[in-house]
Amino acid sequence: SNKEDQENILKELYNHTVKISSGGSAANTIHGVSVLGGRSYYLGRVANDFYGRHYSEDMKSCGVGFPGTGDAPSTTGTCLVLVSPDGERTMLTHLGISSSLGPSNIDETIIRNARMTYIEGYLWTGEETRAAALKLAEIAKKNKLPVAFTLSDAFVVNSFKKPITDFIRSNVDILFCNDVEAMAMADTDNLQEAFKALKG
């Protein structure tokens, strides 16, 4: 979806309950590390707009290190989540500036001082974002830090299986995935077979 679609839907929902929450797959994980008492830093991009400032403040208040809003002329990525009364979700995502996370946004000092890096599979959907992930892994390996990786989504696996497989073989120490992603990765509908293949 795009920003206009989101805004039009929000106008239609003016008399419904609306809640703004910071999020994102890896960001939620990093926030969880902080809640559990760990020290964490999130490498991501937001714009200097309402949502970007809200996001930066949220990160600060929950103790997660974050680069801040920057001054690039763009909008912060947003995901409009519509929840039906029975709990079903429909998500309309506009990536905004997050899709232009690139190698130049990767701060080597932060990685060198870490004990582990965590990379999400969603980064494989863009050339710049994938290059950022590869640089992150390269710096981590150079500094003998373990690399954790999440497959993120079966769509990501099915679309980028070869480069993701190569990345896992060369760089990944800890792999996170759910049943669906594991079976997509191993080209099977048998879960035990999938995990046997992944262990290999």
Side-chain angles (χ1 to χ4, degrees):
S1 79
N2 58 39
K3 200 78 185 133
E4 290 71 37
D5 290 340
Q6 285 186 347
E7 283 164 4
N8 289 336
I9 291 169
L10 282 170
K11 278 178 202 152
E12 293 293 320
L13 298 173
Y14 72 92
N15 60 348
H16 288 52
T17 307
V18 176
K19 182 181 179 214
I20 298 173
S21 297
S22 296
S25 171
N28 289 340
T29 302
I30 294 303
H31 174 244
V33 167
S34 181
V35 168
L36 293 170
R39 287 178 60 226
S40 58
Y41 193 99
Y42 178 62
L43 282 164
R45 292 195 78 185
V46 295
N48 189 7
D49 56 11
F50 171 77
Y51 293 116
R53 290 187 291 273
H54 181 274
Y55 201 96
S56 294
E57 280 304 310
D58 261 6
M59 286 296 196
K60 199 166 147 188
S61 69
C62 67
V64 174
F66 185 64
T69 57
D71 54 8
S74 185
T75 57
T76 296
T78 48
C79 181
L80 178 58
V81 185
L82 306 169
V83 185
S84 64
D86 62 350
E88 287 294 320
R89 296 181 310 168
T90 300
M91 302 168 89
L92 297 99
T93 304
H94 159 68
L95 293 172
I97 199 170
S98 70
S99 64
S100 61
L101 176 80
S104 64
N105 302 114
I106 304 302
D107 187 332
E108 187 158 351
T109 311
I110 288 160
I111 300 156
R112 267 205 316 266
N113 292 325
R115 288 174 61 191
M116 177 178 287
T117 59
Y118 175 71
I119 299 171
E120 64 178 357
Y122 284 124
L123 295 174
W124 261 253
T125 61
E127 236 170 273
E128 274 285 279
T129 52
R130 184 165 57 247
L134 293 169
K135 182 176 178 183
L136 185 60
E138 185 191 317
I139 297 166
K141 297 311 268 184
K142 192 171 76 182
N143 290 281
K144 296 182 173 48
L145 297 173
V147 173
F149 181 63
T150 172
L151 292 177
S152 295
D153 194 296
F155 157 77
V156 172
V157 172
N158 290 324
S159 305
F160 305 96
K161 192 173 292 174
K162 172 81 172 80
I164 282 178
T165 302
D166 293 344
F167 177 74
I168 292 168
R169 284 196 171 124
S170 310
N171 299 285
V172 175
D173 302 292
I174 302 166
L175 180 67
F176 289 96
C177 62
N178 64 22
D179 297 3
V180 181
E181 294 153 6
M183 290 186 291
M185 198 69 191
D187 277 322
T188 177
D189 53 9
N190 180 304
L191 194 55
Q192 292 314 310
E193 272 178 34
F195 283 112
K196 196 175 167 191
L198 286 178
K199 278 197 291 186

